[in-house]
Amino acid sequence: MKPLYKNKHFITLEDWSTDEINVLLEKSSALKKKFKNNEDTTYLKNKSAFLMFFEQSTRTRNSMEAGLAQLGGHANFLDTATMQISHGETGRDTAVILSSYGHGIACRNCFWEIGNKFIREMADNATVPVMNLQCDLYHPMQGLADLMTIKEVKKETKNLKVSIIWAYATSHKKPISVPLTQSLLFPRFGMDVTLAHPKGYEMPEWVIDKAKQNAKANGGTFNVTNNMEEAYKDADIVIPKNWGSWASNTSDDVIDEALESNKHWKCSEAMIKLAKPDVAYMHALPADRGNEVDDSVIDGKHSIVYQEAENRLHTAKAVMAMTMGDK
Ligand code: CP
């Protein structure tokens, strides 16, 4: 019998049922325990995956590389600037060839209106699972680790007030894929999600419609506001993070008038005080310290960012073990 998840692409968690996501979470927790106990987890002996990166990464690259080694396999890191893709070779040809050399293909391509299409083109032509390491629309590896962390910290997800809040940053024009993934995913687990941002930083309309549908089907809620304080008020979890105005402005420019007029959208101690006393502060990292968040918050007692980052290892291993493995 074919193993349940073998060769299933991991492009968006929208393609995975809540039962399937729960199985991934159980596997992640089991792998976390075994990692702590130094137990053998070589479920992918002699298997290899190709990790194609169009952009920089610390957590995603290293959780995949270290994770596959811990599973007994090997990850080939590929800087796409050194691949023939940079001379115009197609995603289709790349996927066919890499499929014939190994057991999985993973890719980060965040270029607006290109990344997701490129990853799907590879998935349509690959004979091995294709894993999305972040595109212009989705970051499923991050979403899964975030959900695992919320469950570890809060135990019950139903009716938690979780606020995904835009924050000021100047480091680069960041993709919308993290807040988009969280907006679609968290309502599926019964959370009461508030998405807060200044005008000009809207998510695409289809995202809001889908997030509301996901909430309705699973007993959660999904609200959008332009009021930062409203989002912090009585929140169980706050996730203040910058994202670019991609849906309304496709320019690559990092700093513009809209950004500079919203410097006050920062996670400060005053904002944290509006939330519940045991509020958890999350961030996918890297954080733009001093702009998105004050050091005293990200380094303070409410912050669970290192636990969240650590869980990237365990969830990445679960995804690889279940999509590339035989069991
Ligand atoms: N959160 C995240 O994806 O981090 P990296 O960009 O370092 O991979």
Side-chain angles (χ1 to χ4, degrees), residues 42 64-75:
T42 51
M64 293 289 288
E65 279 199 45
L68 191 44
Q70 291 159 22
L71 292 169
H74 172 73

Side-chain angles (χ1 to χ4, degrees), residues 289-301:
R289 285 169 175 259
N291 283 327
E292 286 180 298
V293 58
D294 281 331
D295 283 343
S296 58
V297 173
I298 193 167
D299 296 328
K301 66 176 182 185

Side-chain angles (χ1 to χ4, degrees), residues 56-61 108 134 139 142 284-286 312:
Q56 300 86 340
S57 167
T58 296
R59 280 142 291 272
T60 307
R61 174 182 173 177
R108 167 171 287 189
Q134 188 175 20
H139 196 351
Q142 185 66 51
L285 303 180
R312 292 293 310 274

Side-chain angles (χ1 to χ4, degrees), residues 30-92:
L31 283 162
K32 184 170 184 172
K33 231 175 251 164
K34 284 178 190 282
F35 181 72
K36 305 275 174 204
N37 293 335
N38 210 17
E39 285 175 50
D40 185 87
T41 55
T42 51
Y43 310 130
L44 296 178
K45 238 178 207 163
N46 300 324
K47 303 223 170 182
S48 43
F50 303 97
L51 314 184
M52 297 166 53
F53 279 84
F54 285 82
E55 287 98 6
Q56 300 86 340
S57 167
T58 296
R59 280 142 291 272
T60 307
R61 174 182 173 177
N62 290 294
S63 58
M64 293 289 288
E65 279 199 45
L68 191 44
Q70 291 159 22
L71 292 169
H74 172 73
N76 271 24
F77 171 74
L78 298 165
D79 174 348
T80 54
T82 68
M83 294 178 73
Q84 295 295 8
I85 286 169
S86 62
H87 290 154
E89 187 163 27
T90 62
R92 175 202 162 115

Side-chain angles (χ1 to χ4, degrees), residues 2 90 111 114 125 144 180 184 204 245 300 310:
K2 185 177 168 239
T90 62
F111 291 110
I114 293 174
N125 293 284
L144 191 63
L180 191 160
L184 296 182
S245 53
E310 184 203 318

